[in-house]
Amino acid sequence: MPPEPEAEAKLDLKSTLNLPKTDFPMKANLPKNEPVLLERWAGMGIYDRIREARKGQATYVLHDGPPYANGPIHLGHALNKCLKDFIVKSKTMAGFDSPYVPGWDCHGLPIEIKVDQMLGGKKLQMQPLAVRNACREYAAKFLELQSVQFQRLGIFGQFDHPYSTMTPEYESVILETFYKFFENDFVYKGLRSTYWCIHDETALAEAEVEYEDHVSPTVWVKYALQSDPAGIHSGLGEAANKSGKPVATIIWTTTPWTLPASMAVALHPDEEYVGIETEQDIFIIAERLSRATAEKCGFSAENVVARFPGRAVEGSRFHHPFLPWEERKIVGVLADYVTMDTGTGVVHTAPAHGADDFNTGVKYKIDLTCNVDAAGVLRNGLPEYDGLKVFAANHPIVELLKTRGALLHEEKIQHSYPHCWRCHNPIIFRATEQWFIRMETPMDGGKTLRTRTLEEIKKVKWDPAWGEDRIANMIATRPDWCISRQRIWGTPIAVFLCASCGDSVKNPAVNRRVAKLFAEKGADAWYTPEADTLLPADTKCGKCGGLSFKKEMDIIDVWFESGSSHAAVLGHVANLPWPADLYLEGGDQYRGWFHSSLLCAVGTRDAAPYRGVATNGWTLDEQGRAMSKSLGNGVEPVEITEKLGGEIVRLWVASVDFRNDVACSDNLMQRVAENYRKLRNTLFRYILSNLGDFVPSRDAVPYSEMHSIDRHALRQMTAVAAEITGWYDEFAFHKIYQRIMQYCAVDLSAVYFDILKDRLYTSAPRSQARRSAQTAIWKIGEGLARLLAPIMTFTCDEVWQYLPATAGQAESVHLTSFPNASELLGSAGKGEDKAEQDDWAALLQVREEVLKALEVERTNKVIGGGLEAQVKLSAPDPLYSVLQRHEGDLRYLWIVSATRLEKAASPNGGTGITVQVSKADGLKCERCWNYSTHVGEDSAYPTVCERCSAALKEMKS
Ligand SMILES: [Zn+2]
Ligand SMILES: [Zn+2]
Ligand SMILES: [Zn+2]
């Protein structure tokens, strides 16, 4: 709208306009300018300054879940850390002392595997300490890299003092947490069938197992009944086996390699089983599966010669399909887990190679020996398969079954099979000696660890709410926690074992000494002779009286380590109390960190370590596919930061509904960048460019004296601020993003700022009219900088530096609080102008109608620009009275040169208003471009209107 200079003579008039002017750059150049801000913050010690400013306030603690230090950050990290930063910063601006201590998970298999690969054969000759040093260097390198990358995104936190699971202090906390379990009898060492990766040669936790598709050979195998085949005890009945044919059962398995370890056949106690007579045999199988089995094995299920419940077979003896009777006697056992949905209703039982099988083995006192070594090689078997790896042994074992006439059917199935989440190889169950935390350990008050944990889950606020069921189901059904790993890079289970009987020394005084040593020298100390000296020389084994001891060299599960973070970080200083207010991680942490932290805290403190748990979804591409190298659909936060700015990554995080899986692509990032430019220029830059001569202490207009529409704008801003702070409380950042984009584009740019231009540009600079508008946009700009600072961390602080200075103004927007109603509206604005609020609701509706009418006449070519028009409004009461109250403002509201108002007799439909648009009377003012019948009346300024001549006189005086 400001007139362009057309000729020399008119330049003079143009110079009398208050045209927008600011040094706040239109082009953000974020990749270059963000690092400058980072330096500024570092220079002023922003994080410590915030702590200082909030000292003594109520605390809000978001306890950081430690990312794994083995690579640069990816989009999932960026999403998670930005969300945490939004929460921490918004809680801070809401008045809380909300410290943020970032953490890193540094021990564990992935780093050890990487270091293995880097060291190659060299590792074999290295001492454990040298390997641990190599691992530590590797982790430290990525911890440092990730720390820089997180800070580059504008994340504030105690980055100069993070927590890391590989520091001596932290390692001693892990050990003390373990000792609490150990000394209170939660811990036992025992033979168990656990997940085992034969590639990495270690036990795996539930949380370290992923299900992937796998093709397995499936076999139906005959186990001949040895005891009483005439059919007395097995329930075949007196008349049943008149034929004298041999009796056998049929088992079904997808792991033929477990057959050498087969010790029993399990039947369901209550299901009905049948004896089916075929040409050569009588087969015992479940009635419900008899037809399917008969079809597969090629016999008819017609000739049923007996029916009995599964329990009738308990204690019967069967022949192993290929091992001799002298060596292996298969026993009939009962198990509730035998299902009737697939197979034969009879399963072979290899206690060494299955969790259920193992429990059945213990119950029936069956040999639990495992003949598969750590590398997955079968030992002590027949020459056909001895020395082969488990999966390679499948084929020769199937062949062996054929030659023994025991194979009734064979096929391949594709099914979901457990794989190692680190190396992605299929894993097995293997019975080994491991350390466990017993879920049924009774605690104070007589309840078990499992029960107490389930009770604590109910006290936590889970967000989304389904999280509660998810974790409760996991805790309710999980087996004992296998906490030992047979690796080097971690925290050793620092316990002394009797060299003769293997029993562990349970001496709290010794434990304290070990923990102290760890605190001073780190867990490395366990690998030095110094640790040996901690056991008093006269120690005697409590079980066998043995006098010689060795150190347990297994390390502890990394989930136990990170699960101890609450104890390492919280409860030591005043503003980091225990428990945390919030844990926020990806949904996979229900079985990971949320889970292990909960068990660690309930086991040692009888309470959950958090009051609330929130989860974010996965990052996917626009088509909903996971990001992968092969698809080339990955979005790297570091790349986006270098190309578009860290602020764009932050704004993208705010734009998505993080509780669901979230979409990202270069395309979407570009769209966010466009929206960023709108916020930067049409919002902040517009405001700043009109405040160049505004000194709040001198020029600010009290609310009660402001123009009505300026008060309306401030009331609207107050409502937006209330909505936004409410959404911060709900972590509904995507709603904030949507609202702010709409507020900026519609309420401000298209309406208020548009209306203001005439007043801001053409009024005398120091006029009340202009100062009123400046006061309003200053409060809006200043308020929005504070409201959006948790999300637009860089830009809001940049804006802050360009805002007119006020007395005692904070050095950074991050040292301020959210704006509130009394700041925006003053004491006069607290609901006292209800009548004016109602007026504005009506006026803005009328505006819509007038704009429509103007558009019609513009199309009819009656008018060109709006200023060429005048409007005649005719309205009945009560609308007429509203319009009358604001009569002087009406022409500015729809930006025409004049508006006349008439009272209509009665409502004539709709709002009862009629709008007539015609060409404006008078001449065009060369200064403000409005038409006026008064142009030329002032001889001093013959080409301008009466408003402009007044303004020019005011400026002159
Ligand atoms: Zn593995
Ligand atoms: Zn002993
Ligand atoms: Zn004018």
Side-chain angles (χ1 to χ4, degrees):
M1 162 141 25
E4 293 302 316
E6 289 164 29
E8 290 287 311
K10 287 171 190 165
L11 259 183
D12 210 18
L13 278 181
K14 197 201 166 192
S15 70
T16 69
L17 294 168
N18 316 298
L19 294 184
K21 191 169 170 286
T22 178
D23 292 333
F24 183 76
M26 184 174 315
K27 213 171 166 321
N29 204 357
L30 295 171
K32 207 169 134 247
N33 288 330
E34 285 171 350
V36 177
L37 269 168
L38 290 171
E39 258 175 57
R40 179 172 179 269
W41 290 332
M44 64 188 283
I46 188 82
Y47 181 76
D48 295 333
R49 291 278 297 276
I50 294 171
R51 294 285 66 76
E52 196 56 38
R54 286 291 176 275
K55 202 170 183 174
Q57 299 303 308
T59 58
Y60 183 90
V61 178
L62 190 165
H63 177 47
D64 190 33
Y68 199 64
N70 71 333
I73 66 168
H74 55 64
L75 194 64
H77 289 128
L79 170 74
N80 179 258
K81 290 285 178 177
C82 286
L83 290 170
K84 286 172 177 167
D85 197 48
F86 296 169
I87 293 171
V88 168
K89 283 197 177 115
S90 61
K91 289 293 177 187
T92 301
M93 296 195 77
F96 290 93
D97 186 2
S98 186
Y100 178 63
V101 183
W104 275 273
D105 194 1
C106 297
H107 287 142
L109 201 48
I111 289 174
E112 200 177 332
I113 291 172
K114 259 272 139 45
V115 169
D116 265 5
Q117 288 164 358
M118 281 166 16
L119 297 173
K122 222 163 84 188
K123 191 193 169 190
L124 294 172
Q125 290 105 51
M126 286 168 83
Q127 292 300 310
L129 278 180
V131 174
R132 288 174 62 87
N133 273 330
C135 290
R136 185 173 299 107
E137 274 173 34
Y138 186 91
K141 186 177 104 184
F142 284 106
L143 186 159
E144 193 46 44
L145 176 71
Q146 291 188 359
S147 174
V148 169
Q149 292 175 333
F150 288 141
Q151 291 178 71
R152 177 62 190 81
L153 290 172
I155 315 287
F156 286 0
Q158 195 180 296
F159 281 97
D160 58 349
H161 229 94
Y163 79 85
S164 133
T165 59
M166 64 177 180
T167 59
E169 304 94 286
Y170 196 103
E171 286 171 338
S172 76
V173 170
I174 296 166
L175 194 59
E176 282 289 18
T177 304
F178 166 76
Y179 284 151
K180 273 189 193 135
F181 279 104
F182 183 60
E183 289 166 16
N184 289 308
D185 293 325
F186 287 87
V187 179
Y188 66 94
K189 191 175 188 183
L191 194 64
R192 278 288 180 284
S193 189
T194 52
Y195 289 118
W196 185 271
C197 176
I198 61 174
H199 179 262
D200 296 321
E201 300 192 17
T202 183
L204 296 172
E206 306 280 298
E208 294 167 331
V209 171
E210 281 178 356
Y211 281 80
E212 293 172 23
D213 274 352
H214 184 74
V215 175
S216 298
T218 310
V219 288
W220 281 252
V221 183
K222 183 160 105 179
Y223 276 54
L225 183 66
Q226 195 274 343
S227 58
D228 195 21
I232 297 159
H233 291 124
S234 65
L236 284 175
E238 311 84 55
N241 195 6
K242 284 179 198 146
S243 64
K245 287 177 184 169
V247 181
T249 188
I250 305 171
I251 65 96
W252 175 85
T253 180
T254 58
T255 50
W257 66 263
T258 60
L259 289 171
S262 189
M263 299 288 175
V265 290
L267 289 79
H268 194 285
D270 304 322
E271 290 289 337
E272 187 179 44
Y273 286 77
V274 288
I276 293 172
E277 187 175 337
T278 68
E279 272 175 41
Q280 267 119 45
D281 306 87
I282 292 173
F283 290 122
I284 300 171
I285 47 179
E287 197 277 336
R288 285 210 264 161
L289 289 158
S290 61
R291 272 167 210 289
T293 304
E295 199 174 303
K296 294 274 187 197
C297 300
F299 56 82
S300 155
E302 295 303 306
N303 197 6
V304 174
V305 295
R307 288 175 189 277
F308 48 91
R311 65 177 74 259
V313 182
E314 188 176 25
S316 301
R317 297 283 168 160
F318 294 82
H319 286 277
H320 190 277
F322 50 79
L323 293 173
W325 175 252
E326 305 73 56
E327 198 176 302
R328 184 71 51 84
K329 295 171 178 61
I330 301 291
V331 60
V333 299
L334 305 177
D336 289 331
Y337 57 77
V338 176
T339 60
M340 294 296 142
D341 48 5
T342 182
T344 63
V346 185
V347 294
H348 102 90
T349 300
H353 302 300
D356 287 337
D357 293 34
F358 187 89
N359 294 335
T360 300
V362 170
K363 187 173 158 194
Y364 284 92
K365 300 195 168 55
I366 299 169
D367 184 3
L368 306 170
T369 313
C370 180
N371 285 314
V372 172
D373 71 13
V377 177
L378 291 162
R379 301 292 181 196
N380 309 320
L382 299 181
E384 282 86 346
Y385 55 83
D386 195 58
L388 293 177
K389 285 224 179 200
V390 287
F391 298 110
N394 276 335
H395 180 70
I397 287 173
V398 172
E399 289 305 304
L400 184 60
L401 291 172
K402 278 184 199 161
T403 59
R404 300 297 177 90
L407 186 71
L408 295 176
H409 182 62
E410 175 193 7
E411 61 186 44
K412 295 222 181 303
I413 56 159
Q414 185 169 9
H415 60 155
S416 174
Y417 187 85
H419 285 64
C420 171
W421 77 335
R422 297 305 192 191
C423 68
H424 293 281
N425 285 301
I427 58 177
I428 64 171
F429 270 98
R430 180 168 175 264
T432 49
E433 281 258 292
Q434 299 291 345
W435 291 89
F436 293 89
I437 288 175
R438 191 183 284 108
M439 291 300 295
E440 310 309 333
T441 309
M443 298 178 57
D444 288 349
K447 289 171 177 166
T448 66
L449 174 60
R450 193 188 306 277
T451 308
R452 279 294 302 126
T453 305
L454 289 168
E455 285 172 357
E456 284 301 303
I457 286 171
K458 291 193 185 120
K459 297 181 193 164
V460 175
K461 183 175 182 285
W462 299 91
D463 175 12
W466 50 254
E468 180 171 345
D469 276 348
R470 188 149 168 199
I471 195 152
N473 288 338
M474 284 179 179
I475 295 290
T477 58
R478 64 155 300 139
D480 288 350
W481 184 359
C482 175
I483 54 168
S484 47
R485 299 292 183 273
Q486 291 65 48
R487 302 297 301 200
I488 293 171
W489 181 227
T491 306
I493 297 177
V495 169
F496 292 94
L497 305 170
C498 169
S500 38
C501 78
D503 201 36
S504 50
V505 176
K506 211 173 268 181
N507 180 341
V510 174
N511 295 344
R512 294 295 86 68
R513 259 177 263 159
V514 180
K516 190 160 167 276
L517 179 67
F518 274 37
E520 284 160 9
K521 303 195 168 165
D524 280 359
W526 192 248
Y527 297 83
T528 67
E530 192 179 353
D532 305 335
T533 66
L534 298 174
L535 195 65
D538 58 353
T539 305
K540 216 179 196 183
C541 171
K543 198 171 169 193
C544 75
L547 295 169
S548 117
F549 297 86
K550 56 182 181 168
K551 288 179 288 190
E552 171 61 81
M553 298 313 285
D554 280 3
I555 57 168
I556 207 158
D557 177 13
V558 286
W559 291 108
F560 187 96
E561 295 201 346
S562 57
S564 305
S565 65
H566 66 94
V569 179
L570 307 177
H572 305 294
V573 292
N575 67 348
L576 284 165
W578 191 97
D581 291 288
L582 186 70
Y583 278 32
L584 165 64
E585 304 297 328
D588 51 337
Q589 299 305 326
Y590 285 105
R591 63 171 187 170
W593 189 58
F594 299 155
H595 192 123
S596 65
S597 297
L598 185 62
L599 289 177
C600 280
V602 175
T604 57
R605 302 183 186 214
D606 204 18
Y610 35 64
R611 295 193 179 96
V613 172
T615 39
N616 61 259
W618 296 108
T619 52
L620 305 173
D621 73 4
E622 278 179 287
Q623 278 89 49
R625 298 173 302 182
M627 293 184 182
S628 71
K629 281 216 173 78
S630 55
L631 286 173
N633 59 352
V635 177
E636 298 300 331
V638 174
E639 247 172 61
I640 299 292
T641 301
E642 281 164 9
K643 218 165 63 188
L644 301 172
E647 195 87 310
I648 304 306
V649 176
R650 299 179 68 94
L651 210 49
W652 166 76
V653 171
S655 75
V656 298
D657 184 357
F658 74 84
R659 288 168 177 89
N660 300 320
D661 290 341
V662 298
C664 191
S665 65
D666 286 335
N667 198 18
L668 283 172
M669 284 291 188
Q670 286 294 351
R671 242 182 279 167
V672 170
E674 272 163 42
N675 280 339
Y676 170 81
R677 282 190 282 274
K678 282 182 201 155
L679 290 176
R680 181 179 182 89
N681 290 313
T682 61
L683 181 67
F684 287 122
R685 195 163 185 277
Y686 173 94
I687 289 174
L688 293 171
S689 68
N690 283 295
L691 294 177
D693 62 336
F694 183 74
V695 178
S697 58
R698 181 192 70 196
D699 304 323
V701 176
Y703 182 78
S704 57
E705 293 165 29
M706 289 172 98
H707 275 216
S708 180
I709 190 169
D710 299 335
R711 282 201 293 261
H712 164 71
L714 284 181
R715 278 193 300 270
Q716 194 174 45
M717 169 65 192
T718 308
V720 169
E723 273 182 302
I724 288 179
T725 50
W727 285 326
Y728 273 122
D729 274 346
E730 296 168 16
F731 311 149
F733 310 114
H734 62 298
K735 291 185 185 167
I736 297 175
Y737 177 83
Q738 285 158 11
R739 185 70 183 94
I740 207 67
M741 291 314 302
Q742 185 208 23
Y743 180 51
C744 165
V746 180
D747 303 303
L748 294 179
S749 289
V751 182
Y752 184 55
F753 290 172
D754 205 26
I755 291 168
L756 278 194
K757 279 179 188 163
D758 181 85
R759 183 147 48 104
L760 283 170
Y761 300 169
T762 69
S763 309
R766 290 176 215 155
S767 64
Q768 156 89 2
R770 186 152 178 277
R771 294 307 191 202
S772 171
Q774 284 179 311
T775 304
I777 60 170
W778 167 62
K779 287 197 170 195
I780 291 170
E782 196 261 3
L784 284 176
R786 290 191 272 154
L787 267 182
L788 299 180
I791 294 170
M792 295 172 73
T793 285
F794 293 99
T795 306
C796 289
D797 211 27
E798 190 189 356
V799 168
W800 195 253
Q801 312 310 319
Y802 285 90
L803 282 165
T806 55
Q809 179 167 312
E811 211 179 311
S812 161
V813 72
H814 300 297
L815 294 166
T816 68
S817 308
F818 283 140
N820 57 43
S822 66
E823 280 175 295
L824 289 164
L825 306 179
S827 54
K830 287 182 182 161
E832 289 161 26
D833 44 10
K834 177 78 177 73
E836 191 174 62
Q837 288 183 42
D838 295 341
D839 281 4
W840 277 98
L843 287 169
L844 289 172
Q845 258 189 322
V846 172
R847 182 173 181 271
E848 292 299 307
E849 297 206 24
V850 175
L851 292 184
K852 262 185 246 158
L854 284 169
E855 192 50 44
V856 169
E857 297 310 325
R858 198 174 286 128
T859 314
N860 293 342
K861 301 245 172 14
V862 172
I863 55 165
L867 290 178
E868 287 175 26
Q870 59 182 344
V871 169
K872 197 175 114 188
L873 288 182
S874 167
D877 262 333
L879 186 55
Y880 172 78
S881 305
V882 174
L883 290 165
Q884 199 190 25
R885 273 199 288 281
H886 299 271
E887 195 166 4
D889 287 331
L890 296 180
R891 57 179 280 209
Y892 304 112
L893 210 45
W894 25 87
I895 315 176
V896 297
S897 283
T899 294
R900 272 192 300 139
L901 190 58
E902 225 171 50
K903 189 168 178 172
S906 64
N908 45 1
T911 54
I913 188 167
T914 51
V915 184
Q916 277 177 278
V917 174
S918 57
K919 216 160 160 56
D921 297 331
L923 296 170
K924 180 178 173 183
C925 166
E926 292 201 344
R927 184 167 177 271
C928 71
W929 292 21
N930 280 264
Y931 282 74
S932 166
T933 52
H934 301 286
V935 172
E937 280 178 4
D938 185 342
S939 56
Y941 306 105
T943 60
V944 305
C945 69
E946 73 284 7
R947 290 191 314 147
C948 286
S949 83
L952 290 168
K953 274 185 195 137
E954 202 179 324
M955 287 163 72
K956 212 173 171 187
S957 65

